[in-house]
Amino acid sequence: MVLAGTGLPYVQAHAATPAEQRIITRNAQPRTVPPLATGQVQGDDLHAKAQPVALSALSVKAAVKVADKQPCPANSLLLGKDENPTAGQTCRVATLEVNAPDHPAFIQTLGSLMAEDSAGLMDLNISLYQLTPNGQKDALPQVVVSGYTGGAHCCQAAAIVEAAAQGQWRVLSLPAQNGGGEPIVQDIARDGTRQLVYTDERFDYAFASHAGSAMPVVLYQYQDGQLQNVTAQPRFAAYLRNQLAQDSAQWRKTGVTEVNGYLAAYVATSANIGELNAGWRYMMARYDTHSDFAETWCALDKAAWPQNKDGASCPKQFVKTVPFPQTLAQSLVQWGYMTPQQSAALGYDVDKIKQNQQQVIAATTKAWRAAH
Protein backbone atom coordinates (compact mmCIF):
# COMPACT_ATOMS: atom_id res chain seq x y z
CA MET A 1 0.00 0.00 0.00
CA VAL A 2 1.34 3.45 -0.90
CA LEU A 3 0.42 6.85 0.48
CA ALA A 4 -0.07 9.02 -2.58
CA GLY A 5 1.13 12.23 -0.98
CA THR A 6 4.63 10.84 -0.46
CA GLY A 7 4.87 8.28 -3.25
CA LEU A 8 6.61 6.04 -0.71
CA PRO A 9 5.47 2.69 0.65
CA TYR A 10 4.22 2.87 4.22
CA VAL A 11 6.91 0.31 5.06
CA GLN A 12 9.61 2.95 4.68
CA ALA A 13 8.15 5.29 7.27
CA HIS A 14 7.83 3.83 10.77
CA ALA A 15 8.46 0.74 12.87
CA ALA A 16 5.60 -1.58 13.78
CA THR A 17 4.32 -2.42 17.25
CA PRO A 18 5.73 -5.61 18.86
CA ALA A 19 2.60 -7.58 17.90
CA GLU A 20 2.78 -6.35 14.31
CA GLN A 21 6.52 -6.94 14.23
CA ARG A 22 5.93 -10.61 15.03
CA ILE A 23 3.74 -10.85 11.91
CA ILE A 24 6.34 -9.05 9.82
CA THR A 25 9.21 -11.18 11.09
CA ARG A 26 7.28 -14.41 10.56
CA ASN A 27 6.61 -13.58 6.92
CA ALA A 28 9.51 -13.84 4.50
CA GLN A 29 10.42 -10.66 2.68
CA PRO A 30 10.16 -10.66 -1.13
CA ARG A 31 13.28 -11.21 -3.20
CA THR A 32 14.24 -8.47 -5.64
CA VAL A 33 14.79 -9.78 -9.17
CA PRO A 34 17.70 -7.95 -10.78
CA PRO A 35 17.68 -7.25 -14.52
CA LEU A 36 20.01 -9.20 -16.78
CA ALA A 37 21.21 -5.85 -18.11
CA THR A 38 20.15 -2.26 -17.59
CA GLY A 39 21.00 1.25 -18.74
CA GLN A 40 19.81 4.83 -18.48
CA VAL A 41 19.37 6.88 -21.62
CA GLN A 42 18.48 10.13 -19.86
CA GLY A 43 18.31 11.08 -16.20
CA ASP A 44 16.85 14.01 -14.30
CA ASP A 45 19.63 16.41 -15.34
CA LEU A 46 18.25 18.13 -18.42
CA HIS A 47 21.60 19.82 -19.03
CA ALA A 48 23.31 16.43 -19.43
CA LYS A 49 23.36 14.96 -22.91
CA ALA A 50 21.20 11.90 -23.42
CA GLN A 51 23.31 8.82 -24.03
CA PRO A 52 22.59 5.98 -26.45
CA VAL A 53 22.42 2.62 -24.69
CA ALA A 54 23.11 -0.87 -26.05
CA LEU A 55 22.35 -4.00 -24.01
CA SER A 56 22.52 -7.73 -24.72
CA ALA A 57 21.65 -10.93 -22.87
CA LEU A 58 20.78 -14.45 -23.96
CA SER A 59 20.82 -13.70 -27.71
CA VAL A 60 18.64 -10.59 -27.39
CA LYS A 61 20.16 -7.23 -28.27
CA ALA A 62 18.40 -3.96 -27.45
CA ALA A 63 19.57 -0.46 -28.22
CA VAL A 64 18.15 3.01 -27.75
CA LYS A 65 19.37 5.69 -30.12
CA VAL A 66 18.90 9.41 -29.50
CA ALA A 67 18.72 12.13 -32.13
CA ASP A 68 18.29 15.86 -31.55
CA LYS A 69 16.29 18.33 -33.61
CA GLN A 70 14.06 15.67 -35.12
CA PRO A 71 10.39 16.18 -36.03
CA CYS A 72 8.36 15.57 -32.87
CA PRO A 73 6.56 12.21 -33.13
CA ALA A 74 2.78 12.33 -33.33
CA ASN A 75 2.58 9.06 -31.41
CA SER A 76 5.08 6.73 -29.77
CA LEU A 77 5.44 3.67 -27.54
CA LEU A 78 5.62 5.54 -24.22
CA LEU A 79 3.83 8.79 -25.02
CA GLY A 80 0.37 9.15 -26.52
CA LYS A 81 -0.87 11.80 -28.91
CA ASP A 82 -1.75 14.19 -26.10
CA GLU A 83 1.60 13.75 -24.34
CA ASN A 84 4.02 14.33 -27.21
CA PRO A 85 4.95 17.92 -28.10
CA THR A 86 2.98 19.59 -30.87
CA ALA A 87 3.61 18.11 -34.29
CA GLY A 88 5.75 20.38 -36.42
CA GLN A 89 8.17 21.24 -33.62
CA THR A 90 11.60 19.66 -33.31
CA CYS A 91 12.47 17.33 -30.45
CA ARG A 92 15.09 15.08 -28.96
CA VAL A 93 13.73 11.69 -30.06
CA ALA A 94 14.55 8.24 -28.65
CA THR A 95 14.16 5.14 -30.82
CA LEU A 96 14.28 1.52 -29.69
CA GLU A 97 15.73 -1.29 -31.79
CA VAL A 98 15.56 -4.92 -30.64
CA ASN A 99 17.11 -7.93 -32.36
CA ALA A 100 16.53 -11.60 -31.60
CA PRO A 101 17.31 -14.86 -33.42
CA ASP A 102 14.99 -15.63 -36.36
CA HIS A 103 13.20 -12.29 -35.98
CA PRO A 104 13.22 -9.15 -38.11
CA ALA A 105 14.50 -6.11 -36.26
CA PHE A 106 11.91 -4.42 -34.04
CA ILE A 107 12.17 -0.64 -34.41
CA GLN A 108 9.84 1.76 -32.60
CA THR A 109 9.94 5.39 -31.50
CA LEU A 110 9.82 5.52 -27.70
CA GLY A 111 8.99 9.21 -27.50
CA SER A 112 10.48 12.66 -27.29
CA LEU A 113 12.90 13.40 -24.44
CA MET A 114 12.74 16.56 -22.39
CA ALA A 115 15.53 18.99 -23.28
CA GLU A 116 16.23 22.63 -22.53
CA ASP A 117 14.18 23.69 -25.54
CA SER A 118 11.59 20.93 -25.88
CA ALA A 119 9.19 18.84 -23.81
CA GLY A 120 8.94 15.06 -23.44
CA LEU A 121 10.00 12.29 -21.08
CA MET A 122 12.03 13.58 -18.13
CA ASP A 123 14.00 10.34 -17.93
CA LEU A 124 14.28 7.10 -19.90
CA ASN A 125 15.50 3.67 -18.82
CA ILE A 126 15.86 0.29 -20.50
CA SER A 127 16.38 -3.17 -18.97
CA LEU A 128 16.40 -6.82 -19.99
CA TYR A 129 14.52 -9.19 -17.70
CA GLN A 130 13.43 -12.79 -17.66
CA LEU A 131 9.81 -12.32 -16.64
CA THR A 132 8.59 -15.78 -17.65
CA PRO A 133 7.37 -18.12 -14.90
CA ASN A 134 10.24 -19.55 -12.87
CA GLY A 135 12.68 -17.47 -14.91
CA GLN A 136 13.36 -20.28 -17.40
CA LYS A 137 17.02 -19.98 -18.22
CA ASP A 138 16.61 -20.91 -21.87
CA ALA A 139 13.83 -18.37 -22.49
CA LEU A 140 14.60 -15.18 -24.37
CA PRO A 141 14.46 -12.14 -22.07
CA GLN A 142 11.96 -9.32 -22.36
CA VAL A 143 12.87 -5.69 -22.98
CA VAL A 144 11.38 -3.28 -20.44
CA VAL A 145 11.46 0.43 -21.28
CA SER A 146 10.21 3.12 -18.91
CA GLY A 147 10.16 6.87 -18.62
CA TYR A 148 8.80 9.62 -16.40
CA THR A 149 6.31 11.95 -18.04
CA GLY A 150 6.42 14.60 -15.31
CA GLY A 151 3.47 16.68 -14.18
CA ALA A 152 1.44 16.75 -10.98
CA HIS A 153 0.93 13.27 -9.49
CA CYS A 154 2.15 11.61 -12.65
CA CYS A 155 3.44 9.25 -14.29
CA GLN A 156 5.68 6.31 -14.98
CA ALA A 157 5.07 5.14 -18.55
CA ALA A 158 6.43 1.69 -19.35
CA ALA A 159 6.17 -1.11 -21.88
CA ILE A 160 7.41 -4.64 -22.50
CA VAL A 161 8.75 -5.82 -25.85
CA GLU A 162 9.19 -9.56 -26.39
CA ALA A 163 10.24 -11.83 -29.23
CA ALA A 164 7.35 -14.26 -29.81
CA ALA A 165 6.97 -17.40 -31.93
CA GLN A 166 7.17 -17.42 -35.73
CA GLY A 167 9.22 -14.26 -35.94
CA GLN A 168 6.54 -12.09 -34.32
CA TRP A 169 6.97 -9.37 -31.70
CA ARG A 170 4.73 -8.74 -28.71
CA VAL A 171 4.36 -5.24 -27.28
CA LEU A 172 2.48 -4.53 -24.06
CA SER A 173 1.97 -1.12 -22.46
CA LEU A 174 2.08 -1.34 -18.67
CA PRO A 175 -0.30 0.52 -16.32
CA ALA A 176 0.62 4.14 -15.63
CA GLN A 177 1.86 4.82 -12.10
CA ASN A 178 2.27 7.93 -9.99
CA GLY A 179 5.86 9.11 -9.78
CA GLY A 180 8.94 8.10 -11.69
CA GLY A 181 11.32 5.18 -11.47
CA GLU A 182 11.39 1.85 -13.23
CA PRO A 183 8.85 -0.99 -12.81
CA ILE A 184 9.54 -3.06 -9.69
CA VAL A 185 10.19 -6.75 -10.35
CA GLN A 186 10.21 -9.10 -7.34
CA ASP A 187 9.83 -12.74 -6.42
CA ILE A 188 7.16 -12.10 -3.80
CA ALA A 189 6.69 -15.65 -2.55
CA ARG A 190 10.37 -16.58 -3.07
CA ASP A 191 9.24 -19.45 -5.28
CA GLY A 192 11.19 -18.58 -8.43
CA THR A 193 8.39 -16.66 -10.16
CA ARG A 194 8.47 -12.97 -11.09
CA GLN A 195 5.87 -10.35 -10.20
CA LEU A 196 5.55 -6.76 -11.32
CA VAL A 197 4.63 -4.74 -8.22
CA TYR A 198 2.14 -1.95 -8.91
CA THR A 199 -0.45 0.06 -7.01
CA ASP A 200 -4.12 0.52 -7.88
CA GLU A 201 -4.29 4.14 -9.03
CA ARG A 202 -8.10 4.08 -9.09
CA PHE A 203 -8.02 4.74 -5.33
CA ASP A 204 -6.26 8.09 -5.81
CA TYR A 205 -8.78 10.88 -5.12
CA ALA A 206 -11.62 8.34 -4.86
CA PHE A 207 -12.10 8.57 -1.08
CA ALA A 208 -9.72 11.34 -0.01
CA SER A 209 -7.42 14.00 -1.40
CA HIS A 210 -4.27 12.94 -3.23
CA ALA A 211 -2.23 13.41 -0.05
CA GLY A 212 -4.71 11.32 1.95
CA SER A 213 -5.19 8.54 -0.60
CA ALA A 214 -3.66 5.09 -0.18
CA MET A 215 -3.41 2.63 -3.03
CA PRO A 216 -3.50 -1.16 -2.57
CA VAL A 217 -0.64 -3.18 -3.96
CA VAL A 218 -1.40 -4.99 -7.23
CA LEU A 219 0.77 -7.94 -8.28
CA TYR A 220 0.97 -8.80 -11.97
CA GLN A 221 2.59 -11.77 -13.64
CA TYR A 222 3.67 -11.50 -17.26
CA GLN A 223 3.26 -14.32 -19.74
CA ASP A 224 2.74 -14.51 -23.49
CA GLY A 225 2.27 -10.79 -23.94
CA GLN A 226 -0.33 -10.37 -21.20
CA LEU A 227 -0.46 -9.29 -17.57
CA GLN A 228 -2.36 -11.50 -15.15
CA ASN A 229 -3.47 -10.00 -11.85
CA VAL A 230 -2.30 -12.57 -9.30
CA THR A 231 -2.68 -10.45 -6.15
CA ALA A 232 -5.40 -12.62 -4.60
CA GLN A 233 -3.54 -15.92 -5.05
CA PRO A 234 -3.01 -17.63 -1.66
CA ARG A 235 0.78 -17.74 -2.07
CA PHE A 236 0.91 -13.94 -1.69
CA ALA A 237 -1.31 -13.73 1.41
CA ALA A 238 1.65 -13.64 3.82
CA TYR A 239 3.18 -10.73 1.91
CA LEU A 240 -0.10 -8.78 1.96
CA ARG A 241 -0.63 -9.45 5.68
CA ASN A 242 2.87 -8.14 6.20
CA GLN A 243 1.88 -4.99 4.32
CA LEU A 244 -1.24 -4.49 6.47
CA ALA A 245 0.75 -4.81 9.70
CA GLN A 246 3.29 -2.25 8.52
CA ASP A 247 0.61 0.06 7.14
CA SER A 248 -1.34 0.07 10.40
CA ALA A 249 1.76 1.05 12.37
CA GLN A 250 2.56 3.87 9.95
CA TRP A 251 -1.01 5.16 9.92
CA ARG A 252 -1.19 5.47 13.70
CA LYS A 253 2.18 7.18 14.03
CA THR A 254 1.72 9.70 11.24
CA GLY A 255 -1.82 10.62 12.27
CA VAL A 256 -3.40 10.46 8.83
CA THR A 257 -6.32 12.90 8.98
CA GLU A 258 -8.24 11.61 5.93
CA VAL A 259 -8.72 8.16 7.34
CA ASN A 260 -11.18 6.98 4.69
CA GLY A 261 -8.46 7.00 2.03
CA TYR A 262 -6.40 4.61 4.13
CA LEU A 263 -9.34 2.43 5.16
CA ALA A 264 -10.48 1.92 1.57
CA ALA A 265 -7.11 0.44 0.66
CA TYR A 266 -7.10 -1.60 3.89
CA VAL A 267 -10.41 -3.26 3.04
CA ALA A 268 -9.32 -3.92 -0.55
CA THR A 269 -6.12 -5.61 0.63
CA SER A 270 -8.07 -7.60 3.23
CA ALA A 271 -10.34 -8.83 0.44
CA ASN A 272 -7.32 -9.97 -1.56
CA ILE A 273 -6.13 -12.19 1.30
CA GLY A 274 -9.56 -13.69 1.88
CA GLU A 275 -10.27 -11.66 5.02
CA LEU A 276 -12.90 -9.26 3.68
CA ASN A 277 -15.20 -9.49 6.71
CA ALA A 278 -12.38 -8.73 9.15
CA GLY A 279 -11.23 -5.80 7.03
CA TRP A 280 -14.77 -4.50 6.79
CA ARG A 281 -15.23 -4.61 10.58
CA TYR A 282 -11.94 -2.76 10.99
CA MET A 283 -13.18 -0.04 8.62
CA MET A 284 -16.63 0.26 10.20
CA ALA A 285 -15.09 1.00 13.60
CA ARG A 286 -12.87 3.78 12.28
CA TYR A 287 -14.29 5.57 9.23
CA ASP A 288 -14.98 9.30 9.09
CA THR A 289 -18.70 10.04 8.75
CA HIS A 290 -18.09 13.67 7.74
CA SER A 291 -15.47 13.35 5.00
CA ASP A 292 -15.18 16.19 2.50
CA PHE A 293 -14.90 13.51 -0.20
CA ALA A 294 -18.31 11.99 0.46
CA GLU A 295 -20.10 10.93 -2.71
CA THR A 296 -23.45 12.54 -3.50
CA TRP A 297 -26.35 11.90 -5.85
CA CYS A 298 -29.34 13.96 -6.94
CA ALA A 299 -32.88 12.81 -6.16
CA LEU A 300 -34.20 14.90 -9.07
CA ASP A 301 -33.89 13.82 -12.71
CA LYS A 302 -31.25 15.87 -14.49
CA ALA A 303 -33.76 16.89 -17.17
CA ALA A 304 -35.70 18.76 -14.47
CA TRP A 305 -32.76 20.63 -12.97
CA PRO A 306 -33.38 24.40 -12.94
CA GLN A 307 -31.08 26.65 -14.94
CA ASN A 308 -28.88 29.30 -13.36
CA LYS A 309 -26.04 31.49 -14.56
CA ASP A 310 -23.61 28.57 -14.36
CA GLY A 311 -25.95 26.16 -16.14
CA ALA A 312 -28.24 23.47 -14.76
CA SER A 313 -27.55 22.12 -11.28
CA CYS A 314 -29.25 19.90 -8.73
CA PRO A 315 -31.24 21.92 -6.16
CA LYS A 316 -29.61 21.65 -2.73
CA GLN A 317 -32.66 20.05 -1.13
CA PHE A 318 -32.33 17.09 -3.49
CA VAL A 319 -28.61 16.45 -2.99
CA LYS A 320 -28.19 13.20 -1.07
CA THR A 321 -24.95 12.16 0.62
CA VAL A 322 -23.85 8.54 0.24
CA PRO A 323 -22.43 6.95 3.41
CA PHE A 324 -18.77 6.01 3.02
CA PRO A 325 -19.33 2.24 3.53
CA GLN A 326 -21.84 2.24 0.67
CA THR A 327 -19.51 4.16 -1.64
CA LEU A 328 -16.69 1.79 -0.76
CA ALA A 329 -18.81 -1.32 -1.31
CA GLN A 330 -19.97 -0.13 -4.72
CA SER A 331 -16.42 0.78 -5.75
CA LEU A 332 -14.96 -2.54 -4.60
CA VAL A 333 -17.60 -4.43 -6.57
CA GLN A 334 -16.98 -2.30 -9.66
CA TRP A 335 -13.21 -2.76 -9.39
CA GLY A 336 -13.35 -6.50 -8.80
CA TYR A 337 -12.25 -6.71 -5.16
CA MET A 338 -15.48 -8.37 -4.10
CA THR A 339 -18.56 -9.83 -5.72
CA PRO A 340 -22.08 -8.34 -5.64
CA GLN A 341 -23.05 -11.26 -3.40
CA GLN A 342 -20.30 -10.41 -0.89
CA SER A 343 -21.37 -6.78 -0.91
CA ALA A 344 -25.00 -7.76 -0.28
CA ALA A 345 -23.91 -9.93 2.66
CA LEU A 346 -22.28 -6.81 4.14
CA GLY A 347 -25.58 -4.95 3.82
CA TYR A 348 -25.02 -3.21 0.49
CA ASP A 349 -26.85 -4.88 -2.38
CA VAL A 350 -25.56 -2.74 -5.26
CA ASP A 351 -28.42 -3.65 -7.62
CA LYS A 352 -31.09 -2.84 -5.04
CA ILE A 353 -29.34 0.42 -4.17
CA LYS A 354 -29.52 1.49 -7.82
CA GLN A 355 -33.14 0.42 -8.12
CA ASN A 356 -34.10 2.33 -4.96
CA GLN A 357 -32.35 5.46 -6.19
CA GLN A 358 -34.13 5.25 -9.53
CA GLN A 359 -37.48 4.87 -7.75
CA VAL A 360 -36.75 7.89 -5.55
CA ILE A 361 -35.70 9.97 -8.57
CA ALA A 362 -38.86 9.01 -10.49
CA ALA A 363 -41.17 9.85 -7.57
CA THR A 364 -39.38 13.09 -6.70
CA THR A 365 -39.27 14.27 -10.30
CA LYS A 366 -42.99 13.54 -10.77
CA ALA A 367 -43.84 15.62 -7.70
CA TRP A 368 -41.47 18.40 -8.77
CA ARG A 369 -43.01 18.69 -12.22
CA ALA A 370 -46.51 18.69 -10.78
CA ALA A 371 -45.56 21.60 -8.52
CA HIS A 372 -43.78 23.56 -11.23
Side-chain angles (χ1 to χ4, degrees), residues 44-372:
D44 295 333
D45 185 359
L46 302 182
H47 299 284
K49 185 175 178 60
Q51 299 293 326
V53 171
L55 307 175
S56 64
L58 301 176
S59 302
V60 171
K61 297 180 180 180
V64 176
K65 299 177 181 179
V66 179
D68 286 319
K69 304 208 178 286
Q70 299 297 305
C72 296
N75 206 352
S76 57
L77 185 57
L78 296 182
L79 293 177
K81 292 181 180 179
D82 297 333
E83 297 170 305
N84 276 297
T86 304
Q89 297 179 348
T90 59
C91 292
R92 175 181 293 172
V93 177
T95 302
L96 172 67
E97 179 175 341
V98 186
N99 289 276
D102 304 318
H103 284 70
F106 174 89
I107 301 175
Q108 174 71 54
T109 300
L110 294 176
S112 56
L113 301 180
M114 184 171 288
E116 293 179 348
D117 58 352
S118 63
L121 293 166
M122 294 183 69
D123 62 33
L124 179 62
N125 301 279
I126 178 172
S127 297
L128 297 180
Y129 277 99
Q130 278 191 323
L131 299 175
T132 51
N134 300 313
Q136 295 148 340
K137 294 184 178 180
D138 58 344
L140 293 177
Q142 292 77 30
V143 180
V144 180
V145 287
S146 60
Y148 178 47
T149 65
H153 318 322
C154 220
C155 279
Q156 175 202 89
I160 297 173
V161 178
E162 177 185 43
Q166 299 179 342
Q168 301 296 309
W169 291 96
R170 296 192 184 105
V171 181
L172 177 68
S173 294
L174 298 176
Q177 292 282 277
N178 280 328
E182 300 177 71
I184 298 171
V185 183
Q186 292 183 324
D187 178 359
I188 299 294
R190 303 176 75 90
D191 59 2
T193 60
R194 282 89 167 94
Q195 288 77 46
L196 292 158
V197 184
Y198 274 74
T199 54
D200 193 335
E201 302 291 325
R202 293 174 295 187
F203 283 71
D204 194 11
Y205 285 112
F207 311 100
S209 69
H210 175 73
S213 295
M215 276 81 78
V217 169
V218 181
L219 304 177
Y220 290 111
Q221 205 152 285
Y222 176 85
Q223 187 169 9
D224 299 331
Q226 296 183 347
L227 288 183
Q228 179 187 4
N229 187 332
V230 295
T231 317
Q233 291 187 2
R235 59 191 170 126
F236 302 123
Y239 167 77
L240 295 177
R241 287 194 185 94
N242 195 359
Q243 293 290 305
L244 287 182
Q246 293 168 327
D247 297 344
S248 297
Q250 192 273 354
W251 171 53
R252 287 195 305 272
K253 294 189 177 184
T254 56
V256 176
T257 57
E258 296 179 87
V259 64
N260 291 353
Y262 163 74
L263 291 172
Y266 188 99
V267 175
T269 302
S270 298
N272 275 333
I273 59 179
E275 297 177 0
L276 171 62
N277 290 338
W280 193 263
R281 289 193 298 270
Y282 183 91
M283 177 274 297
M284 291 294 291
R286 294 166 175 81
Y287 77 92
D288 180 5
T289 59
H290 299 93
S291 170
D292 293 336
F293 271 74
E295 182 181 332
T296 61
W297 62 284
C298 185
L300 186 66
D301 190 286
K302 192 171 184 178
W305 289 4
Q307 292 286 335
N308 55 45
K309 63 179 182 179
D310 298 320
S313 61
C314 180
K316 291 183 178 179
Q317 68 268 33
F318 296 115
V319 176
K320 308 296 181 182
T321 300
V322 180
F324 171 69
Q326 178 181 316
T327 299
L328 179 59
Q330 290 173 305
S331 297
L332 294 183
V333 170
Q334 179 182 351
W335 297 339
Y337 283 90
M338 64 179 179
T339 65
Q341 293 75 21
Q342 288 175 313
S343 182
L346 295 171
Y348 298 94
D349 187 318
V350 292
D351 290 332
K352 287 185 178 180
I353 289 171
K354 291 179 182 178
Q355 292 172 4
N356 290 339
Q357 287 183 352
Q358 290 170 355
Q359 291 171 359
V360 170
I361 291 172
T364 304
T365 303
K366 182 179 180 179
W368 168 270
R369 285 175 170 156
H372 293 79

